[in-house]
Amino acid sequence: MSAAAKAAPSMDRELVLTRLIDAPREKLFRAWTEPELLKQWFAPKPWTITRAEIDLRPGGASLIVMRSPEGQEFPNPGVVLEVVKNQRIVMTDAYTKAWEPSEKPFMTAIVTFEDEDGNTRYTARARHWTVADRETHEKMGFHEGWGQCADQLAELAKRI
Amino acid sequence: MSAAAKAAPSMDRELVLTRLIDAPREKLFRAWTEPELLKQWFAPKPWTITRAEIDLRPGGASLIVMRSPEGQEFPNPGVVLEVVKNQRIVMTDAYTKAWEPSEKPFMTAIVTFEDEDGNTRYTARARHWTVADRETHEKMGFHEGWGQCADQLAELAKRI
């Protein structure tokens, strides 16, 4: 195998958002996995979520439809790869359902919830297949968008 | 979403190999999942398998190293996505382990074992993310290679 064919180091293909949130892991997990809660925080306002479905098991399909302030809808189909209740959720857009390849495997999201000093360490990693996709995602506003959503998640967690 | 951004129909991205094999599902499943058995049929002779590891659970890593007649080794790392004992195995090269994106998501293999008239219907599907990859795989000799391996599998199943 040539050097050029090898994957770039995973850190060059990963984006990470982390927050210490004043809420128990269980509430953040619920906010991530219950559609009616997910809708309230998963899009950076004034964007909204018009549809949220998630079949919470390896191979389960998910569909999240985001709506822009102008009213345009963006469906985001994906598949759940791994779930550890209150601890970890892994999803990817590489499949639209089990096991139907999507038009473009863009990223895998690894979300973890860990106890830390009475709070929860919330970490969302977006792992891409290429450095170019990581760069694209960063320019699309990964840090700002996921950061705003994490703030909305923290705010919601106080109310549930 | 533009029409061009949509995925090609999955049948245009899939290659299928099927055989009716005179052996029970259980034996074929063993031949697929026990490394010492897998080594005996998984490469079209005179190619050989020098290493076979498979962690048989969603997210489990697999590593199969093939050796050409000239002695060159080709490692094939992948991840198990789904296992239903004696019925179904799904694996992909899109990850090298859970959940580390590979250098190139090429295909997802869906292998099924079904009872049929006292024999087993063995079906191996290779689903690709692009039509170009399906074509490449076909030109690499998918039908001949997987066909020869299926014959080797059927032959092995008589002896175990």
Side-chain angles (χ1 to χ4, degrees):
Chain A
M1 193 179 296
S2 72
K6 290 203 178 139
S10 61
M11 60 182 296
D12 289 349
R13 298 184 290 154
E14 182 173 278
L15 294 170
V16 182
L17 186 289
T18 186
R19 287 278 194 285
L20 195 62
I21 297 181
D22 181 14
R25 289 186 283 117
E26 292 73 12
K27 287 192 180 183
L28 300 183
F29 186 83
R30 281 185 56 209
W32 250 96
T33 57
E34 295 180 18
E36 290 313 310
L37 296 179
L38 187 82
K39 283 181 176 178
Q40 298 179 47
W41 71 269
F42 196 74
K45 291 169 187 170
W47 283 62
T48 56
I49 304 286
T50 55
R51 190 170 164 192
E53 296 165 13
I54 179 167
D55 182 4
L56 209 65
R57 58 185 176 85
S62 68
L63 178 61
I64 296 170
V65 179
M66 296 197 181
R67 184 157 60 187
S68 74
E70 294 75 30
Q72 193 177 359
E73 295 204 329
F74 297 85
N76 293 277
V79 159
V80 174
L81 295 173
E82 186 184 338
V83 182
V84 183
K85 193 174 180 184
N86 299 331
Q87 291 183 53
R88 185 179 175 83
I89 303 165
V90 183
M91 302 173 72
T92 184
D93 59 16
Y95 302 95
T96 53
K97 62 180 180 178
W99 296 101
E100 196 71 55
S102 61
E103 70 264 30
K104 159 77 180 165
F106 182 69
M107 72 162 184
T108 302
I110 301 173
V111 179
T112 54
F113 312 96
E114 298 161 287
D115 292 327
E116 187 176 314
D117 303 328
N119 299 298
T120 296
R121 169 61 58 188
Y122 169 71
T123 305
R125 295 170 195 279
R127 287 196 181 152
H128 306 81
W129 274 276
T130 66
V131 173
D133 283 346
R134 191 266 295 161
E135 288 173 351
T136 298
H137 202 177
E138 193 162 5
K139 285 177 189 160
M140 280 164 63
F142 168 87
H143 293 291
E144 299 78 2
W146 287 47
Q148 184 182 335
C149 288
D151 293 341
Q152 293 172 183
L153 169 63
E155 194 273 325
L156 173 66
K158 289 181 190 163
R159 297 186 281 110
I160 62 176
Chain B
M1 193 179 296
S2 72
K6 289 202 178 139
S10 61
M11 60 181 297
D12 290 348
R13 298 184 288 154
E14 181 173 279
L15 295 169
V16 182
L17 185 289
T18 185
R19 287 278 194 285
L20 195 63
I21 297 180
D22 181 14
R25 288 187 283 118
E26 292 73 12
K27 287 191 179 182
L28 300 183
F29 186 83
R30 281 186 54 209
W32 250 96
T33 56
E34 296 180 17
E36 290 313 310
L37 296 179
L38 188 83
K39 282 182 176 177
Q40 298 179 47
W41 71 270
F42 196 75
K45 292 169 186 169
W47 283 62
T48 55
I49 304 286
T50 55
R51 191 170 164 193
E53 296 165 13
I54 179 167
D55 182 5
L56 209 65
R57 59 186 176 85
S62 68
L63 177 61
I64 296 171
V65 180
M66 296 196 179
R67 182 158 61 186
S68 74
E70 295 75 31
Q72 193 177 0
E73 295 203 330
F74 297 85
N76 293 277
V79 159
V80 175
L81 294 173
E82 186 184 339
V83 182
V84 183
K85 192 173 180 183
N86 299 332
Q87 291 183 53
R88 187 179 173 83
I89 303 164
V90 183
M91 302 172 73
T92 184
D93 59 16
Y95 302 94
T96 54
K97 62 181 181 179
W99 296 100
E100 196 71 56
S102 61
E103 70 264 30
K104 159 75 181 165
F106 182 69
M107 71 163 185
T108 302
I110 302 174
V111 180
T112 54
F113 313 96
E114 298 162 286
D115 292 327
E116 188 175 314
D117 302 328
N119 300 297
T120 297
R121 170 62 57 189
Y122 169 71
T123 305
R125 294 170 197 279
R127 287 196 182 152
H128 306 82
W129 274 276
T130 67
V131 173
D133 284 346
R134 191 266 296 159
E135 289 173 349
T136 298
H137 202 178
E138 194 162 5
K139 286 177 189 160
M140 282 163 62
F142 168 86
H143 293 291
E144 300 79 1
W146 286 48
Q148 185 182 334
C149 288
D151 294 341
Q152 294 171 181
L153 169 64
E155 195 274 324
L156 174 66
K158 290 181 190 164
R159 297 186 280 109
I160 61 175

